[in-house]
Amino acid sequence: MTTLAANLRDRTAIAAWTREHGVYLALLVLVVFNAIATPNFLTVDTVQLLFSQVPPVIIVSLGMALVIGTGGVDLSVGSIMAIASAVLAKFVTGGSPIGVAMLAAVAAGLLVGVFNGLVVAIARVQPIVATLGVLVAGRGIALVITGGALVELFVPVFKDIRLGKFLGIPYVMIVAALLAVAVSFLVRRTAFGYRLLAVGGNRRASVLAGLPVRRTLVVVYAISGTLAAVAGVIATARLRASDPSYIGLLMELTAITAVVVGGTSLTGGRVRILGTVTGAILIQLLETTLVSHNAPDSVARMVEALIIIAAVYIQRPARSSR
Amino acid sequence: MTTPVLAVTSASKRFAGVRALEDVSIELHAGSVHALVGENGAGKSTLIKLITGVYQLDSGSVRLRGEEVAFDSPRSAQRAGIATIYQEVHLAPQLSVARNFFLGREPTRFGSLDLKRMNRNSAEALRRYGIVADVKRPLGELGLGIQQMVAIARAVETDASVVIMDEPTSSLEPREVDLLLDLVAQLKAKDVAIVYVSHKLDEVFRACDTITVLRDGKLVSTGPTSELTRRQLISRMLGRDAAELDESGRTRLGRRELEDGEPVLRAEHLNRRLILEDVSVVVRPGEVVGLAGLLGSGRSETAKAIFGALPLDSGDISVDGKPLTHQTPASRIRQGVAMLPEDRKAEGLIPDMSIRDNIGLAALPQLTRSGLVSRKRVDDIVKTFMTRLRIKAASPLQRVSELSGGNQQKVLLARLLCLNPRVLLLDEPTRGIDVGAKAEVQALVAELAEKGMAVVLISSELEEVVEGSDSVVVLRDGAQLGRLVGDDITEDKIMDLIADAASEQIEASEQIEAEK
Amino acid sequence: MKARRRITVAATAAAAAVALTACSTGSNSGSTSDDSSAAPVATALGSANAGGVPAAITAAGGTELLTTAKPDGVSAQYGPMCKGSDLGIAKIDFTKDTIGWAQSEKEANPFRIASTKSQIEAAKAKGWKLLTTNAQSNVQQENTDIKGMIDKGAKAIIFSPINSTGLGDAIAYAKSKKVAMIPVDRNITGVQGCKDVGPQLGSDFVEQGRRAADAMIKATGGKAKLAILLGATGVNVTDDRTAGFLDQLKAKNASGIEVVFQQTGDFTREKGKSVTETMLRAHPDVNAIYAENDEMGLGALAALDDAGKSGTKNVHIVSIDGTKGAVQAIVDGNFDAVIESNPAFGPASQAALEAYVNGDGAPAVTITTDNQYDSSNAAEALSSGKAY
């Protein structure tokens, strides 16, 4: 009886540890595997490449972490990337200065995010349904903006965004890291962060504690939309083109996986920023590893599916004693 | 004396160390309706769930026709002939009445559903019970009462020998209640043993043969309806033995003289269709006003309405003479009203957060400068209140869900107190917490009032209301029965008020019956 | 939901077998092309068309290779000859009657844009009245679109099937209303020549793969470390272009070309770029890339550019499609060759329609001609507007 109890305690403890730290362990394992099995892996180039590919994923995942922290989900991030990219292309081809074009693109993301937030908070539509609508409609809007086809963009600044480095670290990674620090600060130190976690932890109690629940939700979705738009701008610069049919495609799934793998609870009330960043790096590195090893597409998809299932299993709510 | 169909002996059940049911025994007999009454948390639903296999007994036994049984799931209880009807009908609303009637035991013909037979047989069966319904219509399109009765008829048709009804009338119209009670009488005639859980006393007296009263997980009394007066029943539910009550008067010592100052809280003529009817609560500085009444009397709803959490159709609420406008908790908090919600877990705590964050939550605007939370000010205030309320925890950073009920309640009180409110609404401040913590909380309430706060106190324990209040508003069915002050505040008088109103209503309904 | 892209183009059917592709040519086109290429390759390429009709052509209703004179832009024709009157289709007065164009996928890539544009411009040139629809990759929508245009009075429908099957509903409806049906691009399979639909026009993806291999051998001198950017997984075009390419390397004994990397780029520029970036780390010695469409090739070029390795002197690139961007890359010295997948079915399909309903009939299956661009003709293709 006591051994069983001890055993159970151990298992709960292991589950809790895995939930919090599993992502770091998994990243370590993957790095070790690559060091042994992938040619030319342990080089500065490899890290630089990873850090130039992963920032859009990190940036979108940061916003997603906040939304999931409120107990919601934002399926529209990929389409918002496409909208931002399309708006960017429209302004650049229309002759606007690149700074204006980028601001317009980010503002478009903010706008869509606010719309999501209003639908979720005021109309009280379930987040998954509200943002699914934008997932579908958003890409259509992006296609309408560019007239459908890929638009090549020749903007000198894009080269800096793609290739610029500071002390060997790509600019885009520095941007992603700064955003991660900012979001982490937001969650830990601001009243908004408290409210976000409270709403995710117990919405009814938050209302009765007098918190501005609706405003909090609108702001959270607005942040998610804005960050997705920033990621859309970076992805556009990386490609030197706006391709609204494909940019950010399936990004919502990648971001949700990164967030959940990183230890944020899908039921809300808990947000892990460092875990999210690590989760994003883990997923990008996993994809890179599979590509490096010439894994067939079908295998890659199965591996990704397994990771998602494992992450969700680990993050499942502890069974209550009743 | 016949053998009971179902006998529960010395049943006990604890959840995480908290007593839910202790040493409770009841017997159900064929052709008899057995009422199970008690306030929230008395143990009614725990007892039902033990019988129907949702929970397993810690100790004690359940015997069905003399044989000991231990159901591992509601399904196996159902197979043994124990059917349960819940408030919400647990059937498939999209399917036809006939399909629902045969759900899980559909007749087939050549491997496919025999719809004709289902329609014919279900229509016949329902007619036998006096239920008029088009069996081909989707169940969800019928009235709730009819749905409820289809569920009951279905249960009986599956050869149930025990039918448990858990507050079956809570969402029914009066006319539907009559139909349902008729059906109960028919079941009785068919020798079914019935458990009837309700907090509506008139129904209990109309329909039940035996009444068992539970309180705090313990059996208070069980006996024939004919040997119990309404007055006695109310007193047993609310916490004092009738005999003992006759002796007791006002127990709170040194009830203070209150200056006739302007009331802090004026909540007058509160109306909300079907929930509140012209309820008024006025609290002067330093006064504790108790709201007394049975479950469902509108006591919690009154507090919620004052707090802005229950939208009103009409009513005037002012604090310190200033009328309150926006019906939201956030604006009420800004205007000096704070509420301790009835359901600590569902409406109060943020389980994943620390004690510290739970306390600081409502006062965030005061603890924040240009969006940034001042850690120092939060820590100071948390420290102050943890000491003052004697919250026992490893550290302020401990997760609140790891605390005992009493300490959790103190955390919520601390959350309210750091708002420095003018009006404090306390809904069941001592429910589910241990004796020591209970005394501490009660003393704290008295202390807060002495300092000039206006307090509204709600408790299902009449004793607590009587001892802790300077005046008491008595409610029943969302309406105000009376207001007691000073020496008039006794458990006796409160229960008289409730019982009189109850019997008046019963007389009225009996009269209607007679006129038919 | 990666939109399935292109499909078309004709084969220089001189060689071996023409695997007329259609999305669900039953089993899989891989085996089709194996059958069609393996045997003839063993003997000699030139002799393959001695009279055999490839299975894919048979599936589309073609029974015999026609040796009559071919019009411009057509590389092969297969009988029998279809006549609209055989199905009771009345002659069309193109000055008064309308016809319909049903596009399968949204016009969001150069191929689809060019394909629709070709129909509209050809109709305009002839003064025909043309209704147009787009099924947005939804086969039910395409059924509805086609029936809708018939109900609006269209006397003939030229359509690009989403799938080689699944349009039975629309086809049956057209037959009952005596409306001519001309499939282009992907073909309708499992039909009897001229009995269910009118003349079909299509292209040969296996052949495109073979020609890409020839171009690659020429560009690299038969010696290279090669990476292949595959199209979207599970799509016929991908399988055909891969099989044709690899078979041709074998057939030409190009053992000096070593395939060190194969990975899907989903037919998109973005994936083409990121996969190439990763590939360049793991295989820095790769000096040739075969991209199964232009977009992935341009993505690969972007990655090479970022790595300072663009230009055919560093890495050779051959891709398929013939879009402006890729042809421009030849001019810029970054691509070696581009095999065209011609989307311009407008003139050929409308000529076939006219012959089918008003004239002497049209062949059951027509394979249109694909161009091929390299440094010798790329600039001209851009200035003449041939590159789409």
Side-chain angles (χ1 to χ4, degrees):
Chain A
M1 209 50 204
T2 48
T3 50
L4 180 68
N7 212 340
L8 274 174
R9 229 185 353 264
D10 283 353
R11 276 172 52 190
T12 333
I14 290 169
W17 190 91
T18 316
R19 190 156 51 230
E20 289 291 324
H21 306 286
V23 66
Y24 307 106
L25 184 69
L27 183 61
L28 186 71
V29 168
L30 195 56
V31 167
V32 170
F33 169 82
N34 272 289
I36 297 167
T38 308
N40 313 314
F41 180 75
L42 284 180
T43 61
V44 175
D45 275 4
T46 307
V47 177
Q48 282 180 342
L49 174 64
L50 183 66
F51 282 3
S52 70
Q53 288 180 335
V54 78
V57 182
I58 291 180
I59 293 168
V60 171
S61 301
L62 289 172
M64 185 68 82
L66 298 185
V67 173
I68 290 180
T70 65
V73 72
D74 187 352
L75 296 183
S76 69
V77 288
S79 293
I80 291 178
M81 284 177 72
I83 290 175
S85 179
V87 169
L88 182 65
K90 189 83 189 169
F91 274 75
V92 167
T93 52
S96 300
I98 182 65
V100 173
M102 283 174 154
L103 275 179
V106 173
L110 170 70
L111 215 66
V112 179
V114 168
F115 173 79
N116 280 337
L118 291 175
V119 174
V120 169
I122 313 294
R124 299 212 62 160
V125 175
Q126 282 193 3
I128 196 163
V129 178
T131 57
L132 182 67
V134 179
L135 164 75
V136 176
R139 201 164 285 280
I141 292 169
L143 285 166
V144 169
I145 294 172
T146 61
L150 177 146
V151 182
E152 292 196 334
L153 299 170
F154 300 101
V155 180
V157 179
F158 283 181
K159 189 164 187 187
D160 295 327
I161 297 176
R162 273 201 317 279
L163 301 174
K165 294 183 187 69
F166 179 73
L167 299 176
I169 304 168
Y171 288 160
V172 281
M173 187 61 188
I174 294 174
V175 170
L178 288 177
L179 287 172
V181 169
V183 169
S184 180
F185 182 81
L186 199 65
V187 172
R188 288 156 169 268
R189 293 298 306 278
T190 65
F192 168 75
Y194 272 68
R195 294 199 295 260
L196 179 161
L197 294 176
V199 171
N202 188 341
R203 182 166 175 168
R204 175 101 191 108
S206 302
V207 172
L208 291 180
L211 304 187
V213 171
R214 292 175 183 176
R215 197 173 75 210
T216 306
L217 285 173
V218 173
V219 173
V220 164
Y221 283 89
I223 292 175
S224 176
T226 307
L227 289 175
V230 170
V233 169
I234 293 177
T236 306
R238 262 181 56 71
L239 196 61
R240 318 192 276 197
S242 169
D243 190 358
S245 304
Y246 297 105
I247 210 159
L249 199 65
L250 297 182
M251 181 58 99
E252 60 284 350
L253 293 186
T254 310
I256 292 170
T257 311
V259 170
V260 175
V261 170
T264 297
S265 161
L266 266 179
T267 50
R270 177 153 49 99
V271 172
R272 294 285 177 271
I273 296 302
L274 187 60
T276 297
V277 172
T278 313
I281 294 174
L282 175 73
I283 288 168
Q284 183 66 48
L285 182 58
L286 182 76
E287 194 180 323
T288 306
T289 306
L290 290 165
V291 169
S292 300
H293 288 265
N294 249 340
D297 201 33
S298 49
V299 173
R301 285 180 201 196
M302 276 189 277
V303 171
E304 278 165 21
L306 281 177
I307 298 274
I308 295 175
I309 292 166
V312 172
Y313 177 77
I314 290 166
Q315 295 301 334
R316 76 200 184 282
R319 213 178 288 173
S320 74
S321 50
R322 293 207 176 175
Chain B
M1 194 80 196
T2 55
T3 333
V5 177
L6 187 111
V8 179
T9 316
S10 297
S12 294
K13 180 72 184 173
R14 286 175 163 268
F15 292 114
V18 179
R19 179 187 70 208
L21 207 63
E22 189 170 287
D23 195 24
V24 170
S25 306
I26 62 164
E27 289 184 351
L28 307 180
H29 292 271
S32 165
V33 184
H34 194 131
L36 211 51
V37 298
E39 289 283 276
N40 271 344
K44 293 169 300 187
S45 41
T46 308
L47 180 58
I48 289 172
K49 286 173 178 171
L50 286 170
I51 294 173
T52 55
V54 178
Y55 300 151
Q56 315 308 318
L57 285 166
D58 289 345
S59 63
S61 68
V62 178
R63 269 173 300 162
L64 187 63
R65 289 182 213 87
E67 262 178 68
E68 183 151 348
V69 289
F71 301 118
D72 53 4
S73 72
R75 248 187 107 77
S76 45
Q78 223 163 13
R79 255 182 253 128
I82 300 177
T84 315
I85 315 295
Y86 295 95
Q87 305 175 25
E88 302 91 28
V89 179
H90 288 201
L91 290 174
Q94 310 87 341
L95 296 183
S96 72
V97 172
R99 289 287 302 272
N100 272 292
F101 195 77
F102 283 102
L103 207 62
R105 52 187 183 101
E106 291 87 350
T108 54
R109 197 159 171 262
F110 309 125
S112 66
L113 290 180
D114 188 350
L115 277 176
K116 257 189 204 154
R117 207 168 105 204
M118 283 165 69
N119 288 341
R120 195 177 56 233
N121 291 4
S122 59
E124 270 170 24
L126 292 178
R127 210 173 304 125
R128 276 204 306 280
Y129 293 108
I131 304 169
V132 186
D134 178 357
V135 295
K136 289 177 194 162
R137 275 177 68 188
L139 182 72
E141 289 178 7
L142 305 181
L144 265 181
I146 300 284
Q147 291 190 37
Q148 194 80 259
M149 282 181 272
V150 170
I152 294 168
R154 174 180 180 276
V156 181
E157 284 293 298
T158 53
D159 290 327
S161 52
V162 177
V163 172
I164 299 172
M165 303 186 194
D166 191 357
E167 305 214 5
T169 59
S170 59
S171 41
L172 300 191
E173 305 276 330
R175 190 178 45 81
E176 295 175 319
V177 172
D178 290 341
L179 284 172
L180 188 121
L181 293 183
D182 284 350
L183 183 57
V184 168
Q186 289 183 46
L187 297 189
K188 203 173 132 174
K190 285 188 72 174
D191 269 354
V192 174
I194 297 156
V195 177
Y196 194 89
V197 179
S198 179
H199 59 258
K200 296 190 179 166
L201 297 193
D202 45 350
E203 287 171 22
V204 168
F205 278 98
R206 260 171 79 186
C208 301
D209 305 297
T210 312
I211 300 179
T212 290
V213 183
L214 296 177
R215 196 172 68 233
D216 290 341
K218 290 190 203 153
L219 185 82
V220 176
S221 74
T222 186
T225 309
S226 53
E227 291 172 16
L228 201 61
T229 65
R230 287 179 184 89
R231 178 68 174 65
Q232 283 168 323
L233 178 59
I234 292 166
S235 73
R236 283 175 191 179
M237 287 166 68
L238 293 183
R240 280 290 177 95
D241 200 86
E244 200 183 319
L245 267 174
D246 292 342
E247 312 292 317
S248 79
R250 199 190 62 182
T251 44
R252 180 172 166 182
L253 296 175
R255 206 175 286 274
R256 284 161 301 114
E257 290 298 314
L258 293 165
E259 67 261 46
D260 281 339
E262 258 311 286
V264 178
L265 173 70
R266 248 179 206 289
E268 290 172 313
H269 313 299
L270 307 183
N271 279 296
R272 166 76 195 251
R273 211 178 86 81
L274 298 177
I275 296 177
L276 291 178
E277 199 185 321
D278 201 29
V279 174
S280 295
V281 180
V282 175
V283 193
R284 286 172 294 167
E287 191 181 20
V288 178
V289 173
L291 296 185
L294 296 174
L295 188 66
S297 61
R299 53 189 197 205
S300 291
E301 287 75 7
T302 302
K304 282 193 170 143
I306 296 171
F307 189 55
L310 175 80
L312 286 170
D313 298 331
S314 67
D316 301 310
I317 305 175
S318 64
V319 171
D320 286 332
K322 271 179 287 185
L324 306 187
T325 44
H326 293 76
Q327 291 192 29
T328 67
S331 76
R332 294 294 146 94
I333 286 176
R334 278 196 294 277
Q335 284 157 318
V337 184
M339 184 180 80
L340 182 77
E342 179 184 14
D343 188 333
R344 194 161 58 227
K345 282 212 171 71
E347 306 187 303
L349 299 168
I350 316 287
D352 273 342
M353 279 190 164
S354 63
I355 297 169
R356 175 182 182 276
D357 293 350
N358 264 285
I359 292 178
L361 203 60
L364 272 179
Q366 288 92 61
L367 301 171
T368 306
R369 209 169 291 146
S370 54
L372 296 190
V373 178
S374 160
R375 286 188 172 173
K376 188 174 172 306
R377 290 168 74 185
V378 175
D379 287 339
D380 286 349
I381 212 162
V382 167
K383 205 172 143 205
T384 310
F385 280 102
M386 283 184 73
T387 317
R388 184 165 155 208
L389 299 185
R390 274 176 280 172
I391 296 173
K392 292 182 204 79
S395 103
L397 299 180
Q398 196 179 354
R399 268 163 51 118
V400 78
S401 54
E402 294 168 4
L403 299 183
S404 70
N407 280 307
Q408 288 182 344
Q409 196 72 321
K410 289 183 190 172
V411 167
L412 291 183
L413 277 167
R415 179 193 289 172
L416 305 188
L417 295 182
C418 62
L419 292 169
N420 214 358
R422 294 286 292 133
V423 178
L424 198 54
L425 308 165
L426 303 173
D427 197 352
E428 301 281 5
T430 65
R431 175 184 295 162
I433 70 180
D434 62 75
V435 183
K438 190 168 174 175
E440 284 182 67
V441 169
Q442 285 168 340
L444 178 74
V445 172
E447 183 195 324
L448 291 169
E450 245 152 68
K451 287 188 176 156
M453 227 176 252
V455 180
V456 174
L457 175 67
I458 297 169
S459 173
S460 51
E461 286 179 46
L462 215 41
E463 183 185 348
E464 187 168 86
V465 175
V466 168
E467 292 188 3
S469 311
D470 300 305
S471 68
V472 174
V473 174
V474 183
L475 300 169
R476 188 175 190 285
D477 292 340
Q480 194 168 335
L481 299 175
R483 183 166 174 273
L484 304 174
V485 289
D487 290 345
D488 280 344
I489 304 178
T490 63
E491 296 187 26
D492 230 12
K493 290 223 162 104
I494 294 172
M495 288 188 288
D496 282 344
L497 272 174
I498 299 172
D500 285 351
S503 47
E504 270 168 33
Q505 198 160 24
I506 287 168
E507 278 160 23
S509 71
E510 275 164 359
Q511 222 167 341
I512 293 166
E513 291 279 302
E515 279 165 15
K516 279 189 198 166
Chain C
M1 249 123 299
K2 322 254 145 158
R4 246 150 240 191
R5 305 191 124 181
R6 51 240 38 182
I7 309 210
T8 300
V9 176
T12 45
V18 176
L20 219 212
T21 311
C23 273
S24 60
T25 311
S27 57
N28 65 61
S29 60
S31 66
T32 307
S33 55
D34 280 351
D35 295 345
S36 58
S37 55
V41 161
T43 51
L45 280 167
S47 64
N49 61 354
V53 175
I57 298 294
T58 314
T63 53
E64 52 170 334
L65 182 65
L66 301 177
T67 51
T68 45
K70 297 185 283 273
D72 277 354
V74 169
S75 63
Q77 294 177 321
Y78 294 87
M81 295 296 282
C82 304
K83 282 196 76 171
S85 52
D86 295 346
L87 291 178
I89 297 169
K91 289 196 174 178
I92 295 175
D93 179 357
F94 287 106
T95 58
K96 286 193 196 129
D97 297 327
T98 50
I99 64 168
W101 161 240
Q103 178 60 283
S104 54
E105 296 167 17
K106 66 186 170 199
E107 282 110 6
N109 64 57
F111 184 88
R112 293 290 155 199
I113 295 168
S115 141
T116 291
K117 196 171 142 211
S118 160
Q119 293 292 347
I120 291 173
E121 284 179 353
K124 210 174 184 181
K126 288 171 176 276
W128 292 7
K129 288 180 217 150
L130 188 72
L131 298 169
T132 62
T133 57
N134 189 316
Q136 309 280 340
S137 305
N138 178 342
V139 75
Q140 278 325 315
Q141 183 62 44
E142 188 160 20
N143 273 309
T144 311
D145 286 349
I146 291 172
K147 287 196 284 186
M149 287 194 287
I150 292 172
D151 290 341
K152 279 189 200 154
K155 299 289 180 209
I157 305 287
I158 301 173
F159 63 109
S160 170
I162 288 170
N163 215 324
S164 52
T165 58
L167 289 174
D169 201 13
I171 291 168
Y173 188 71
K175 207 170 169 180
S176 73
K177 296 274 176 182
K178 314 279 185 227
V179 168
M181 293 285 275
I182 316 288
V184 300
D185 178 9
R186 298 170 200 179
N187 292 85
I188 300 296
T189 60
V191 291
Q192 281 183 289
C194 310
K195 293 278 168 59
D196 299 299
V197 293
Q200 307 206 40
L201 295 90
S203 34
D204 178 359
F205 308 121
V206 177
E207 177 59 20
Q208 290 168 0
R210 284 198 199 101
R211 292 169 68 190
D214 287 339
M216 185 60 84
I217 293 167
K218 188 178 162 208
T220 60
K223 192 164 161 42
K225 299 258 187 205
L226 179 84
I228 301 178
L229 294 177
L230 304 168
T233 307
V235 178
N236 251 3
V237 197
T238 302
D239 296 339
D240 289 352
R241 288 179 180 169
T242 308
F245 186 87
L246 294 176
D247 287 348
Q248 186 73 345
L249 288 187
K250 238 185 271 167
K252 290 284 182 74
N253 287 319
S255 55
I257 296 183
E258 186 192 350
V259 179
V260 296
F261 182 86
Q262 281 194 55
Q263 188 63 237
T264 180
D266 278 344
F267 282 138
T268 73
R269 190 178 295 205
E270 188 171 27
K271 192 83 187 286
K273 185 184 185 210
S274 61
V275 167
T276 304
E277 286 174 338
T278 305
M279 182 270 290
L280 289 174
R281 305 294 156 193
H283 304 281
D285 52 343
V286 162
N287 62 357
I289 294 173
Y290 164 45
E292 292 184 352
N293 79 345
D294 286 352
E295 283 298 301
M296 293 190 294
L298 291 168
L301 175 60
L304 290 168
D305 202 24
D306 285 356
K309 289 175 116 177
S310 61
T312 53
K313 63 184 183 302
N314 296 313
V315 179
H316 298 284
I317 300 179
V318 172
S319 71
I320 300 179
D321 263 358
T323 59
K324 275 189 205 121
V327 178
Q328 180 66 46
I330 298 176
V331 174
D332 297 343
N334 293 321
F335 277 30
D336 292 274
V338 174
I339 312 303
E340 190 199 40
S341 195
N342 192 348
F345 287 103
S349 59
Q350 289 176 17
L353 170 62
E354 218 169 353
Y356 174 59
V357 291
N358 291 355
D360 299 335
V365 179
T366 296
I367 301 296
T368 52
T369 307
D370 291 331
N371 296 311
Q372 179 166 345
Y373 306 113
D374 56 25
S375 54
S376 67
N377 62 355
E380 189 271 330
L382 283 175
S383 58
S384 71
K386 255 167 49 187
Y388 57 91

